[in-house]
Amino acid sequence: MTNIVCIGAGYVGGPTMAVMAQNCPHHRIVVVDINEARIAAWQSDHLPIYEPGLDEIVRAVRGKNLVFSTEVDRHIAEADIIFVSVNTPTKMFGQGAGRAADLQYWEKTARQIVRNATTPKIVVEKSTLPVRTAEAMEHILNSNDKGLYFDVVSNPEFLAEGTAIRDMQAPDRVLVGAHTTPSGRKALEAVVEIYANWVPRERIITTNLWSSELSKLTANAFLAQRISSINAISALCEQTEADVTEVAHAIGMDSRIGPKFLRASVGFGGSCFQKDILNLVYLCEYYGLPEVAHYWEQVVRMNEYQEARFVSNMLSAMFNTVAGKRIALLGAAFKAHTSDTRESPALAVCRALLDERAAVVLSDPHALDNARADLGDQAAQVIFEPDPYAAADGAYAIAVLTEWPQFASLDYEAIFRSMVKPAFIFDGRDILDHQGLFDIGFNVYAIGKPSLVHFNSSTPRPS
Ligand code: NAD
Ligand code: UGA
């Protein structure tokens, strides 16, 4: 039996360790966090995150070989292998503000490990980190006066929210990086052995430490780049009557390009794409590569442009004013099947519409609590309404901002009847039947598609 501890019970620590516990009944896994409320939620029937399939797994293994605890120090002392999955947000102060990764939580964890360890340990980087962080980690861990040696292994996580359980159960690949020294190889093999309990060996890739760290940032940069690329084309489609879905399909059939991650949208969100690319930009600048930094920064700038463009399109369609108008926003989560609203384009649109003094009603099946918290002071100006029909009642416009499948199958005839006319619908995820909505009577605006409107531009503007 190996004593495995995971520091950080968030979106990564919770689901990854639950799946690990399920597949490794012979290992004992403890997930620790300093956030007492979060640990209490993990111990309860209301888990702190919504993730399809997670409840069932946690119920099956919790109290058997999976434990959630706030006793960080004690469990560090007992651990053989420590996965660290604490948050590594964008630094908002001092040097590198707005770009570099804020490594304070990470460094505190390293120091906490040294303080409490009485035996050597393998420390696994699960958080997403700048390339060469392991070097700093090793300096902190191995500058101890207890005679203890710590091996640092990189094992970045590639799960996506909403499909986290599936991604963990059957990953495209697991990546493990370590030094090529005898001790490093032994540590690497110990981590590989854990995954080999359920992941086929050929899907477990091993590399040197720096390749592993950099592969994580690169994977996110490439994924986000595809979205920004198709979103850039969506803007051109709207000017030329080309249809971005058709273009995406046509290029995606090329096996060199492939069909995935080509869904044009109001923009990508989530806690990681933006922060990881900005971190990559910072690293390139740090290593004296301004052209490379500039290249990647455009992926983030294009995303900001796409969000802003969506709101501008709403405004110009609605006669350049939304002040006092009720607008129903369908979706708050940054993507479907999650309650996470971090960096959600839905909230960016919500804030922009509040600045325009619209009366915003926000509807989402799982993410309203997080949306309320994220909006902070502005939450007081928003109506939170779980029922999309109630949200749309009396609205001038609807905007679909998260691709929850249920939004595609609402009774839009009934919704149309309940709205102020002319009724507008803006599909920020291209999930609706646009011609059908137009036939009902809506004026329809979708990403990267010709708009379908019942009046032409020569219609006089209302006074
Ligand atoms: P999160 O904010 O949901 O969770 C991090 C947790 O770490 C928090 O609960 C926090 O209280 C805890 N923590 C911070 N300092 C601590 C300390 N000293 N001791 C104990 N607990 C501490 O973050 P997350 O979304 O789980 O992401 C964690 C890391 O994984 C980040 O580096 C992120 O980039 C990366 N990642 C995230 C995802 C994702 O889908 N969210 C996917 C892959 C990788
Ligand atoms: C992403 C990566 O997919 C994971 O591999 C990675 O582990 C994770 O980031 C991370 O490091 O945090 P996640 O952000 O959870 O996962 O979700 P994605 O499915 O990648 O979606 C990100 C955003 O892009 C969402 O807002 C989604 O709606 C949007 N998106 C995605 C599009 O607009 N178009 C697409 O074609 C795909």
Side-chain angles (χ1 to χ4, degrees):
M1 185 191 78
T2 305
N3 274 316
I4 297 170
V5 165
C6 175
I7 304 181
Y11 286 85
V12 167
T16 52
M17 292 302 130
V19 173
M20 196 179 279
Q22 188 190 34
N23 288 289
C24 304
H26 49 295
H27 293 325
R28 180 168 183 267
I29 301 180
V30 183
V31 185
V32 294
D33 203 300
I34 42 175
N35 183 330
E36 289 181 6
R38 212 163 209 191
I39 290 296
W42 279 112
Q43 291 166 335
S44 79
D45 287 339
H46 300 284
L47 302 186
I49 62 177
Y50 170 72
E51 187 65 51
L54 179 64
D55 281 39
E56 292 82 340
I57 295 182
V58 170
R59 239 178 277 132
V61 290
R62 197 175 51 192
K64 292 187 180 142
N65 65 329
L66 179 69
V67 171
F68 293 95
S69 170
T70 51
E71 290 181 81
V72 185
D73 293 351
R74 175 162 81 84
H75 291 295
I76 286 175
E78 291 171 0
D80 303 307
I81 300 182
I82 301 178
F83 287 82
V84 185
S85 71
V86 299
N87 36 328
T88 50
T90 302
K91 191 177 173 196
M92 297 314 284
F93 52 88
Q95 206 170 316
R99 288 173 182 232
D102 183 348
L103 296 177
Q104 60 171 306
Y105 308 104
W106 178 256
E107 179 165 342
K108 276 180 195 145
T109 312
R111 291 185 186 280
Q112 206 166 358
I113 292 172
V114 184
R115 235 186 0 260
N116 292 288
T118 50
T119 52
K121 296 176 196 308
I122 297 170
V123 177
V124 186
E125 298 178 334
K126 194 61 154 158
S127 301
T128 302
L129 295 160
V131 55
R132 295 200 79 90
T133 300
E135 196 171 30
M137 188 82 174
E138 284 167 337
H139 288 321
I140 295 169
L141 290 171
N142 291 323
S143 301
N144 67 79
D145 50 15
K146 303 180 187 178
L148 296 177
Y149 184 76
F150 297 87
D151 282 292
V152 178
V153 174
S154 163
N155 169 224
E157 183 50 58
F158 295 102
L159 68 77
E161 290 177 30
T163 54
I165 301 303
R166 198 177 66 208
D167 295 343
M168 264 302 279
Q169 293 280 23
D172 284 356
R173 79 316 205 174
V174 167
L175 177 58
V176 190
H179 286 308
T180 49
T181 57
S183 170
R185 276 203 213 96
K186 209 168 146 217
L188 178 138
E189 200 43 44
V191 176
V192 167
E193 280 298 330
I194 295 173
Y195 285 100
N197 282 292
W198 76 98
V199 180
R201 282 271 176 170
E202 64 273 16
R203 288 192 182 266
I204 306 178
I205 307 170
T206 58
T207 65
N208 80 31
L209 257 176
W210 322 128
S211 306
S212 176
E213 289 178 334
L214 185 55
S215 297
K216 174 62 196 177
L217 289 183
T218 308
N220 274 1
F222 270 59
L223 289 169
Q225 182 199 42
R226 279 174 75 91
I227 303 169
S228 276
S229 296
I230 199 68
N231 282 345
I233 296 301
S234 78
L236 188 55
C237 286
E238 287 166 35
Q239 299 298 320
T240 57
E241 296 192 6
D243 180 321
V244 76
T245 309
E246 293 178 351
V247 174
H249 181 63
I251 65 165
M253 293 278 285
D254 184 328
S255 60
R256 293 168 303 174
I257 296 174
K260 294 184 181 165
F261 261 67
L262 288 178
R263 278 183 287 113
S265 68
V266 57
F268 62 73
S271 63
C272 293
F273 277 174
Q274 176 172 303
K275 94 164 158 68
D276 291 347
I277 295 172
L278 291 175
N279 185 213
L280 189 63
V281 168
Y282 179 75
L283 285 170
C284 293
E285 283 168 350
Y286 176 86
Y287 286 107
L289 303 167
E291 289 81 2
V292 185
H294 180 72
Y295 173 77
W296 285 110
E297 188 167 2
Q298 284 312 304
V299 174
V300 174
R301 299 297 159 236
M302 182 53 62
N303 198 52
E304 291 166 350
Y305 168 72
Q306 187 76 348
E307 285 176 358
R309 206 170 69 75
F310 186 82
V311 176
S312 298
N313 284 349
M314 288 183 78
L315 268 177
S316 66
M318 296 177 72
F319 319 114
N320 293 313
T321 176
V322 290
K325 292 178 182 170
R326 182 179 172 100
I327 299 182
L329 302 185
L330 301 190
F334 81 95
K335 64 183 284 195
H337 309 296
T338 176
S339 55
D340 195 350
T341 53
R342 291 178 293 179
E343 302 296 336
S344 174
L347 298 193
V349 170
C350 176
R351 287 192 189 96
L353 292 174
L354 290 175
D355 288 345
E356 292 291 338
R357 305 203 176 163
V360 177
V361 189
L362 196 52
S363 187
D364 191 287
H366 288 281
L368 289 187
D369 288 344
N370 282 335
R372 195 179 283 112
D374 279 6
L375 285 168
D377 290 347
Q378 285 177 298
Q381 302 166 54
V382 175
I383 299 169
F384 296 89
E385 174 53 71
D387 177 4
Y389 293 100
D393 191 8
Y396 288 68
I398 294 172
V400 175
L401 300 175
T402 308
E403 68 278 26
W404 287 106
Q406 51 267 53
F407 292 154
S409 54
L410 296 173
D411 178 352
Y412 280 102
E413 296 209 17
I415 286 178
F416 180 75
R417 282 196 298 276
S418 76
M419 289 176 65
V420 176
K421 311 298 178 315
F424 294 86
I425 193 154
F426 300 89
D427 186 357
R429 295 290 183 169
D430 286 353
I431 57 167
L432 305 179
D433 168 9
H434 302 134
Q435 186 61 47
L437 291 169
F438 177 71
D439 293 343
I440 290 171
F442 282 101
N443 295 299
V444 187
Y445 297 80
I447 302 282
K449 291 170 191 278
S451 46
L452 299 169
V453 291
H454 290 281
F455 36 78
N456 60 41
S457 53
S458 60
T459 307
R461 283 194 54 187
S463 53

